[in-house]
Structures are given as C-alpha cells and as structure tokens.
Amino acid sequence: MRCDQTPAWAQLLSSAEAFAGFDLRQAFAQDAGRAAYFSQEAPGVFADLSKNHWDANVQTQLLDLLDQTGVLAQRDRMFQGQAINNTEDRAVMHWLLRHPEDGATFWPSSMRTALKDVHLTLNAMLAFAEQVRSNSQITDVVNIGIGGSDLGPQMAVLAMQAYAQTGKRFHFISNVDGHELDAVLRGLKAHSTMFLVASKTFTTLETMTNALSAKRWFEAQGGTDVSAHFAALTTNVEAAAKFGIETCFGFWDWVGGRYSLWSAIGLPLAMATGSENFRAFLAGGHAMDQHFQSADAPQNLPIRLGLLDVWYRNFLNYTSRCLAPYHSALKRFPAYLQQLEMESNGKQVDRAGQRLHFGTAPVLWGEPGTNGQHAFFQMLHQGSDVVPLEFVAVKNAVHPLPDHQALLLSNALAQAQALMLGQTDAGGHKNFPGNRPSSFIVLEDLTPFNLGALIALQEHRVFVSGAVWGINSFDQWGVELGKVLAKDIHARLISGNAQGLDASTAQLLKRLR
Ligand code: F6P
C-alpha cells in the first residue's frame, strides 16, 4: 500500500502534531531507560539514537508503517535477486559482491552462477592488486572515474590510509575540468604510473575524456606498453577493449554505480590495503547484510535509521540532515553518502511512475568535526531551522600524538550535548534553544571490517526509506537530461549558433565563447 494511504501514516501525522511540545531534556528526565531503549548494537557499529525527536510510541507507529508498506518483503526480494530495479528491469545485488563463496541452498542457479563469477573476478582482481603492490616501479595509481566510480574508492582509500602500503600514491580524477588531470599529470612519470579507468558503462563523458587525455599523455611521454599501465574496471568489456585496454576487471548490470565499491571499482582500495584487508572490508559489509536480513525490526539498525529518516522528512518536515564524521580519514564520507542517498531517493514518482505528494530524500551534507564546529555549527545551534546531525566517532586513534583523541571525542560529545541541552537562561544572542536532535554512531576502530559494515548500514538505511516511499532507489533518470543538453550546447559553444536558445542561455553562451 502507498505509504501515505496507510493507517500508520495517519497515526504518525497526529503524533507529529502532538510532538510540537516534545522536549529532549524532559524526555530524558522522565525516562531513565531512554538512552538504552534507543541504542542499537550492530556488526562493527554502535548507534545511540536517543537524542532524536521521537519516542517509543512513534517508533511503534513507524514499525507499523514498515509492515503496511511491505518493506521487509521488498528487502527479501532484493536478497532473492528479483528485478526490483523495475525501470531498468535489473536485479539489485551489490550485496552478492560481499557474500562468501557458498550460496544458500535455496538460491536459484542463476544466483549461484553469479556468485561464482563474483569470486572469480574478485580473485583475479586481488591477484592483480597484489602484483601492482609488489611492483616497486609503480609509484602512482591514478583512478579515472566519476560518481560511484570515484566517490567510493576515493572515500575508502582515504578512510583506510592507516592500512595503506607506503611508497604508492593514489590520485582520483573525476572532473572533466582539465585543471584536475593536468595538475596530477605534471607530477607523474609514464613508466611509474598505473591508470585505472573506472566506469560502469564506459561511456561517461568525463571519464572517457580524461582517459583519452591520459593515454595521449602516456604516449607523448614515451610510454609504449598501454596494456601494462592501463586497466579498466567496467561492465562494458567490449568498449574497454576498443579503447585499447587489455587488462579488464568486469562487473554486472545488477550493481548500481553508487553501490559498486564492493566490485572491481574497489580495485584502488585493494591496491592500497592489500587483498586481506579488502576481504575484511567485504566481510564487514556482509555482516551488516546478515543483520539487516535477520535482526527483528525493532532491533535492526538500518531499519531504525531508515524509519527515523522517514519520520523526520515526512512528519517533522526536516528537509536536510548533516553528517559530521569525527575522524579526518572519513573526510570524503559525506560526499559519498550524498550520492548514495540523494541519487537513490531523490525522486518524485513511485515505482509505477505515479507522482508522489510527500517529501523524499533530504539534502545530505557535512564536513568532518571539529572543522564544521568553526564553520556551520552556528546554524545548527542557533539557526531558524532544525537540522538533525549525525555524528560518526571512532574510539581509538592510530596516530601516536598525545591529547588529540580525547580532545576530538570530547568535542563530539559536547556538541551533541550542547545541541540537546542548549542554554536558555543567557538571554539574547547568547541563548541556545537546545532540544536539537542528533544521532551518534560509534566505531571501536576504523578497520576495514568496520568501514564495510558502516557503508552497508548506510546502503540499507537508504533502502528502507526508499521502500517506505515506494520509489525505485536504484535508477537515476534525473541525471540524463543535463547530459543530453550538454551535447547540444557543446556543439553551439564551438559553432557560436545560439538560435532557438532562451535569452539567458544565449547571452551566457556568447560570453563564454
Ligand atoms: O550520471 C550519473 C552516473 O550514472 C552515476 O550513477 C554513476 O555512478 C556515474 O554516473 C558514473 O557512471 P559510470 O561508472 O558508468 O561512468
């Protein structure tokens, strides 16, 4: 049933009205069990969701909404390999990429075959990663890709820097803006560089333009052995071969771009950290898959987070969520999650193409703490809008510097506390309203396993809100129009033909020629 037609939706609407007077300070004062009730252990991750604007009654109604919208059946369809990406008639099986070699006995043979292929490719890709790792001649690895073919590996290589082999530098080129590639190429030598052309489709304008320029640069530098210095990570093996790349690691159309870090797209991570760590990363993701599939809904962390997201978006009308990782190696995590959530759930029609009359994906944004505290936290504390904040803290640091970690963690805790408690007796400019919501996610250590679990948690949480809303979280038609128009404008920018353009575009075209 469509979510806004369910009895639970109506109940949640009246709960939201009653929630106008809800105050976190009172909620904690009245209920000694609140912190425990709204906390959740999951593989690799602990989450305290108690400083949020909800109570047990709301959570129960949200769980009813989950039932009434058939989210669990949809989850099961994903894990059965059904074509739940209905607009592209594709299965959604990124989870299979992190599944151990033995499939379940009840699986159809097509899924067993897919799993076999996954492991064959994984083994080949990891062998290649080890080969490059042990080749001391290669000092620089350049990943050329954009969107899911960039944000995932870039975020993860940085996150796992403590596990990375020294002596190799990793560069990520995504933008068609030549300044980016040019700046990197200036510091490279052809004989010591390995280029990875990462593109699910192998047609993306930015990636193809950058790959071609990289190849031209390589040849101009005297590089002759393209096959030894270029590898492709793609579902389009044919196009990679046409481009002249022989070393190719494939994946499948049932892996969405923003879900592809677990596939050959993860090669930079495997090269940086080695096969054992890459396998641990996959194991963390798999452990979260099992939790999502088997934990009862009230104790299921992706479900609880996904439902909280729906409550905030549709009932309390919070239109954005801020993410603050208190670990500098998680610097790119907000950018990665932006694509994951906003490209998945930024839609206004349901799976059947019918217009939806309620909000879907919130705006997701953020920066690492403590940096954000000295920039936009002002608005979180005293601004006119309520923006739920999600902290991600890592208990143990790996650097040897004294004092820093305790200062970092106390800042995270203090910010969550300040948001909630506020300061209502200071008057005027010094007044903090308090009662501002936040979630607090804790990892014991930033290990490959825990990172895998954290990412899979976010994938499933996005799945849950998308499934409640009844949208297809696995297509991205909204990126197509701009691509088509850019082709036309490109020709016009070269020819100067502004005929038929609106006055603003025509004027800007003229100015930019
Ligand atoms: O244009 C959006 C998009 O298709 C993303 O979904 C994808 O991650 C990105 O472009 C890159 O696509 P590809 O890996 O096919 O180059």
Side-chain angles (χ1 to χ4, degrees):
M1 199 190 287
R2 234 184 63 187
C3 61
D4 58 340
Q5 291 162 1
T6 59
W9 190 272
Q11 282 166 353
L12 283 158
L13 281 175
S14 36
S15 292
E17 270 174 38
F19 243 75
F22 177 84
D23 192 296
L24 280 166
R25 292 158 286 208
Q26 275 170 21
F28 275 98
Q30 284 163 5
D31 178 6
R34 182 175 173 90
Y37 184 84
F38 283 110
S39 290
Q40 186 64 58
E41 294 281 359
V45 177
F46 167 80
D48 179 346
L49 309 180
S50 64
K51 291 199 202 74
N52 279 297
H53 289 169
W54 61 350
D55 60 15
N57 182 45
V58 166
Q59 191 183 257
T60 305
Q61 291 171 351
L62 287 166
L63 289 164
D64 290 344
L65 182 67
L66 183 91
D67 279 346
Q68 292 164 18
T69 49
V71 175
L72 299 187
Q74 184 72 350
R75 171 197 68 186
D76 295 345
R77 282 195 276 277
M78 173 170 76
F79 285 104
Q80 285 156 6
Q82 294 188 33
I84 62 167
N85 174 358
N86 62 312
T87 62
E88 297 177 311
D89 193 25
R90 289 176 184 165
V92 172
M93 297 206 293
H94 48 273
W95 55 269
L96 195 74
L97 300 165
R98 51 206 187 214
H99 197 285
E101 238 164 313
D102 293 327
T105 41
F106 59 84
W107 279 10
S109 68
S110 59
M111 240 157 78
R112 295 173 163 285
T113 312
L115 185 62
K116 237 186 216 162
D117 289 347
V118 163
H119 281 274
L120 278 176
T121 308
L122 176 64
N123 293 340
M125 157 192 156
L126 293 182
F128 181 68
E130 292 300 341
Q131 195 186 311
V132 174
R133 278 165 70 77
S134 59
N135 180 350
S136 56
Q137 288 226 309
I138 299 293
T139 54
D140 292 87
V141 176
V142 183
N143 190 80
I144 298 178
I146 196 164
S149 301
D150 164 68
L151 291 166
Q154 190 185 152
M155 174 273 292
V157 166
L158 181 61
M160 292 292 98
Q161 62 189 8
Y163 293 81
Q165 186 189 30
T166 48
K168 290 210 197 307
R169 287 175 293 264
F170 287 81
H171 313 270
F172 291 86
I173 301 297
S174 52
N175 204 319
V176 75
D177 180 351
H179 294 106
E180 196 175 64
L181 179 62
D182 183 56
V184 167
L185 291 179
R186 280 169 195 275
L188 301 179
K189 302 242 173 331
H191 70 271
S192 56
T193 302
M194 165 68 65
F195 290 98
L196 304 177
V197 184
S199 175
K200 178 178 170 180
T201 54
F202 225 79
T203 57
T204 304
L205 169 99
E206 291 88 339
T207 304
M208 291 303 103
T209 309
N210 282 323
L212 194 61
S213 294
K215 198 170 155 203
R216 283 190 189 129
W217 170 88
F218 178 77
E219 285 163 352
Q221 295 294 307
T224 46
D225 197 356
V226 172
S227 62
H229 290 267
F230 281 76
L233 322 172
T234 185
T235 58
N236 191 351
V237 178
E238 246 173 56
K242 244 192 210 159
F243 185 87
I245 300 183
E246 286 167 25
T247 309
C248 186
F249 300 98
F251 58 109
W252 303 271
D253 70 358
W254 40 260
V255 183
R258 52 197 173 274
Y259 300 87
S260 61
L261 175 57
W262 319 93
S263 72
I265 294 293
L267 185 57
L269 179 62
M271 279 183 177
T273 63
S275 16
E276 215 174 291
N277 285 318
F278 193 78
R279 286 189 192 278
F281 169 72
L282 296 180
H286 178 65
M288 190 56 74
D289 292 339
Q290 288 182 306
H291 171 78
F292 182 43
Q293 280 182 280
S294 61
D296 288 343
Q299 267 76 54
N300 192 308
L301 186 53
I303 289 180
R304 293 182 96 179
L305 277 172
L307 290 177
L308 178 62
D309 294 340
V310 170
W311 167 244
Y312 276 171
R313 184 70 184 92
N314 300 118
F315 300 97
L316 300 192
N317 299 319
Y318 301 157
T319 54
S320 98
R321 184 168 82 245
C322 180
L323 186 80
Y326 275 69
H327 196 304
S328 59
L330 291 173
K331 204 182 214 154
R332 295 297 286 159
F333 198 49
Y336 173 76
L337 292 186
Q338 263 173 351
Q339 186 194 10
L340 179 64
E341 181 145 357
M342 292 161 76
E343 201 174 69
S344 295
N345 286 346
K347 322 247 162 96
Q348 55 170 333
V349 295
D350 68 8
R351 296 165 53 76
Q354 297 299 312
R355 179 73 205 269
L356 297 172
H357 297 283
F358 49 80
T360 56
V363 175
L364 194 62
W365 56 289
E367 277 289 318
T370 58
N371 296 11
Q373 292 175 207
H374 299 273
F376 52 79
F377 271 41
Q378 160 69 38
M379 181 265 205
L380 301 181
H381 286 287
Q382 290 186 315
S384 52
D385 291 298
V386 174
V387 179
L389 178 58
E390 194 157 300
F391 293 89
V392 179
V394 179
K395 183 177 166 190
N396 299 315
V398 288
H399 63 74
L401 305 175
D403 305 335
H404 287 256
Q405 188 65 3
L407 285 169
L408 177 72
L409 295 180
S410 22
N411 267 278
L413 283 173
Q415 288 297 325
Q417 200 185 25
L419 284 164
M420 172 170 79
L421 297 180
Q423 178 173 272
T424 49
D425 53 3
H429 300 293
K430 294 188 178 160
N431 227 43
F432 288 62
N435 192 31
R436 300 249 152 151
S438 66
S439 301
F440 208 103
I441 291 178
V442 181
L443 309 186
E444 193 75 7
D445 297 279
L446 190 55
T447 59
F449 182 94
N450 291 350
L451 179 71
L454 180 68
I455 296 172
L457 167 66
Q458 301 291 338
E459 288 178 351
H460 294 324
R461 154 219 215 139
V462 168
F463 177 94
V464 169
S465 54
V468 168
W469 290 325
I471 60 188
N472 178 3
S473 302
F474 301 99
D475 60 13
Q476 56 283 318
W477 298 106
V479 300
E480 294 307 321
L481 179 60
K483 292 183 189 174
V484 173
L485 294 186
K487 260 196 190 152
D488 171 61
I489 297 278
H490 182 226
R492 289 172 180 274
L493 201 57
I494 289 165
S495 70
N497 173 14
Q499 241 183 5
L501 290 178
D502 63 86
S504 166
T505 309
Q507 164 188 271
L508 293 170
L509 185 96
K510 213 167 144 201
R511 196 166 266 268
L512 288 172
R513 282 197 78 219

